[in-house]
Amino acid sequence: MSRVEPVRGWGKRLWAWFRARGERGLRVLHDDLWTWRADPLPPSVWLRWFPHGMVCLAAFGVLLGDAAQLGDNGGVEPGFGFVIAVAQGGAMAFALWRPVAAWWLSLGAMLVGAFAVRAEMVADGSRFTWPWPAAGIIGHMVVLLLLALRVRTRVSLEALVLTALATYVVQGVVGALNYQPTGQLAVILFTVVVVLGIALRGRREARSQLAEQTSLTAEERARRTLLEERGRIARELHDVVAHHMSVISIQAQVAPLLVKDPPDELRENLAGIRQNALEALTELRRVLGVLRSEHPDGLETPEGDAGAVPHAPQPTLDRLDALVENTRAAGLTVTTDTSGTRRPLPPGVELSAYRIVQEALSNVLRHAPGAHAQVYLVHLPIGLRVVVSNTRPKRAPAPSQGAGHGLLGMRERVAMLDGTLTAQPLPDGGYQVAAFLPVDHPDLPTDPWPDPSPDLSADPSTDLSTDVSADLSADASADRSTGPSTDASAGPSTDPCPGPSPGPVSARSPAPFSAPSTEDDTP
């Protein structure tokens, strides 16, 4: 093999590489610039269609100026010059909808006009601004600006390079007899407007991405807040479920001792029940471990229970008086009242009622300083109604410190028990949170509601008597027509402070990841 063969093989490979790259570049140029794709300029946010009107007005001015320059100074036949001017001015208006096609039209009008003027040039004649007339430069600048605002940066640079290349070929290679060169100035101005358009487009895209990211961040924060609140509720209910499972296990173990000579089948069934209960307790502890994985030190305390230990029993309504006393010690005037016959309630209902009162009073402390609050419990045959209201605050609340879980936690607890929740401002400037927690009693009549609550207007610290009566009457009407399980309105996720509030929304099936209130409504 001769020494030339390796060099020849290397040259063939290099030529193949350059050919492949050239073909790829031509395909990219074809896809980017040889298109009829529509890319309209959207209306301005504040000025609406004002930019479109200004471009059309400028296009009309370029049409008149270009036609006058080509006809009077360039020596082009007036009719032909007018056609070139129409193409140059029309490209500006056309760029509002199809910028790439408009750029081709403007560049083509420039080339046709340049060669038409060149044909009329004489050595001793007047010097004409060539190859770009003044009106043509303005028109092509507007077209390149609109192009850079609507297409990718690569396409804008490709159009700029081809414009500069065409200008160089016409002026530097072809040339003319007697003219005033405008190619260098035109290319500089075209570069400026393309860079400006790319910068404005990048700024617009950055703002759009920032708004999208902000929206995603808000949704993610709402999702995380909801999951955290559900995890906290699940941790609180662990003690209730574990207690029942422990009782089942003990009863299954003791039951054979209460029967004289129990059969083997009974012993086996009870042993199976006890084994299943123990396994359920084990799995429950594992699930609780996953829920508490974010707090390995185990020092998380229930909200509002300052100084509570991790393994303290979950609170019930028996501790409501202590909660009210602690709230009074914090500087809030609170009155309590109850009606109806108190019956044993499930532990989950007791815990939820306590937490609703706790969070509502915390919200009053934070968002209604100086107001008076009232806690009103209505014991009904089919459940428990909890109403916490406050009067108008006497001074402005402190600035919010961030997102809270107050009303979100209330809504989740009420939805878990298939109850109802309303949170809304009162006519006097106060706020009211009302929740109904149902208790299943299949042997009760269909209309167990008692008479409306007694008149509490004598208490100057509350404005709740009329509201509670109206709420009870409305709920009773709904239960007579549809049953207790059909009224599912729950208040919006807003802070219990004076201010506008949207209408009640469903609390039984809240949207799992709908954006909750981001105001600070927890202590």
Side-chain angles (χ1 to χ4, degrees), residues 35 104 111 116 375 407 418 473 505 507:
T35 177
W104 280 112
L111 294 175
V375 179
L407 277 172
D418 199 23
S473 302
V505 296

Side-chain angles (χ1 to χ4, degrees), residues 15 105 108 116 201 213 225 235 253 262 268 277 298 316 328 348 374 394 406 472 475 480 499:
W15 169 253
L105 179 61
R201 181 174 181 271
Q213 186 63 35
T225 301
R235 291 193 297 269
Q253 185 179 7
E268 293 178 0
T316 62
R328 288 170 179 165
Q374 182 182 32
K394 295 182 179 179
L472 288 174
D475 288 343
R480 291 189 185 98

Side-chain angles (χ1 to χ4, degrees), residues 372 374 376 378 385-392 422-435 449 451-457 459 461-476:
H372 295 179
Q374 182 182 32
Y376 185 53
V378 183
R385 186 173 181 83
V386 180
V387 182
V388 181
S389 65
N390 64 273
T391 58
R392 179 191 297 272
T422 57
Q424 56 189 2
L426 297 176
D428 63 346
Y431 207 86
Q432 173 181 292
V433 176
W449 292 81
D451 293 335
S453 59
D455 185 12
L456 303 176
S457 59
D459 190 348
S461 65
T462 179
D463 298 272
L464 187 62
S465 58
T466 305
D467 299 296
V468 171
S469 301
D471 288 338
L472 288 174
S473 302
D475 288 343

Side-chain angles (χ1 to χ4, degrees), residues 56-423:
C56 292
L57 184 61
F60 183 73
V62 167
L63 185 151
L64 298 180
D66 204 18
Q69 286 180 331
L70 292 175
D72 297 340
N73 301 329
V76 180
E77 194 275 326
F80 187 53
F82 182 78
V83 172
I84 297 174
V86 168
Q88 192 73 57
M92 298 173 58
F94 195 42
L96 292 170
W97 289 273
R98 298 183 185 272
V100 176
W103 170 77
W104 280 112
L105 179 61
S106 178
L107 184 62
M110 182 276 293
L111 294 175
V112 173
F115 282 102
V117 172
R118 181 178 180 274
E120 301 296 333
M121 287 183 180
V122 293
D124 55 351
S126 61
R127 297 169 60 87
F128 183 73
T129 53
W130 189 84
W132 289 94
I137 294 177
I138 296 174
H140 203 68
M141 286 175 57
V142 174
V143 170
L144 284 176
L145 178 62
L146 295 174
L147 177 73
L149 289 174
R150 302 307 303 156
V151 300
R152 292 175 296 177
T153 301
R154 185 184 68 191
V155 181
S156 302
L157 295 178
E158 291 170 353
L160 176 63
V161 170
L162 289 180
T163 300
L165 181 61
T167 302
Y168 169 75
V169 170
V170 173
Q171 178 177 319
V173 177
V174 177
L177 293 177
N178 186 19
Y179 66 95
Q180 182 179 350
T182 57
Q184 294 85 348
L185 176 62
V187 172
I188 293 174
L189 294 177
F190 296 159
T191 303
V192 171
V193 297
V194 168
V195 171
L196 177 62
I198 292 175
L200 293 176
R201 181 174 181 271
R203 179 175 177 269
R204 184 182 68 247
E205 290 182 348
R207 294 180 61 181
S208 177
Q209 293 176 359
L210 179 61
E212 181 180 358
Q213 186 63 35
T214 302
S215 177
L216 292 177
T217 302
E219 293 177 1
E220 190 62 29
R221 186 185 300 114
R223 186 194 309 267
R224 185 174 63 252
T225 301
L226 184 62
L227 293 178
E228 290 175 356
E229 186 62 23
R230 288 181 175 179
R232 187 172 72 92
I233 295 173
R235 291 193 297 269
E236 291 181 355
L237 292 179
H238 165 264
D239 295 342
V240 176
V241 179
H243 169 73
H244 289 298
M245 298 303 298
S246 300
V247 170
I248 293 174
S249 176
I250 295 173
Q251 288 178 342
Q253 185 179 7
V254 174
L257 304 178
L258 302 179
V259 180
K260 184 178 181 180
D261 299 330
D264 294 338
E265 292 81 0
L266 179 59
R267 291 179 181 272
E268 293 178 0
N269 289 335
L270 292 176
I273 293 174
R274 183 175 183 273
Q275 184 64 27
N276 290 333
L278 293 177
E279 292 179 358
L281 275 174
T282 302
E283 296 298 329
L284 187 61
R285 292 191 185 97
R286 292 175 181 172
V287 173
L288 185 66
V290 174
L291 293 176
R292 285 178 174 168
S293 60
E294 297 180 358
H295 307 279
D297 53 358
L299 296 179
E300 182 183 8
T301 59
E303 180 181 343
D305 286 353
V309 296
H311 302 290
Q314 296 297 341
T316 62
L317 290 178
D318 293 335
R319 294 174 54 185
L320 186 60
D321 293 338
L323 173 64
V324 172
E325 289 300 326
N326 290 338
T327 307
R328 288 170 179 165
L332 179 65
T333 303
V334 185
T335 58
T336 60
D337 198 358
T338 60
S339 65
T341 303
R342 181 170 182 177
R343 296 177 178 82
L345 298 174
V349 175
E350 293 257 353
L351 173 61
S352 297
Y354 179 89
R355 291 300 187 198
I356 289 173
V357 174
Q358 180 187 46
E359 292 168 350
L361 292 179
S362 299
N363 290 337
V364 176
L365 277 171
R366 179 177 296 274
H367 297 287
H372 295 179
Q374 182 182 32
V375 179
Y376 185 53
L377 302 180
V378 183
H379 294 274
L380 303 172
I382 60 171
L384 176 67
R385 186 173 181 83
V386 180
V387 182
V388 181
S389 65
N390 64 273
T391 58
R392 179 191 297 272
K394 295 182 179 179
R395 56 184 182 274
S400 174
Q401 300 296 325
H405 298 186
L407 277 172
L408 176 63
M410 298 183 199
R411 183 173 61 183
E412 289 296 312
R413 294 179 188 278
V414 170
M416 175 185 64
L417 298 174
D418 199 23
T420 62
L421 174 71
T422 57

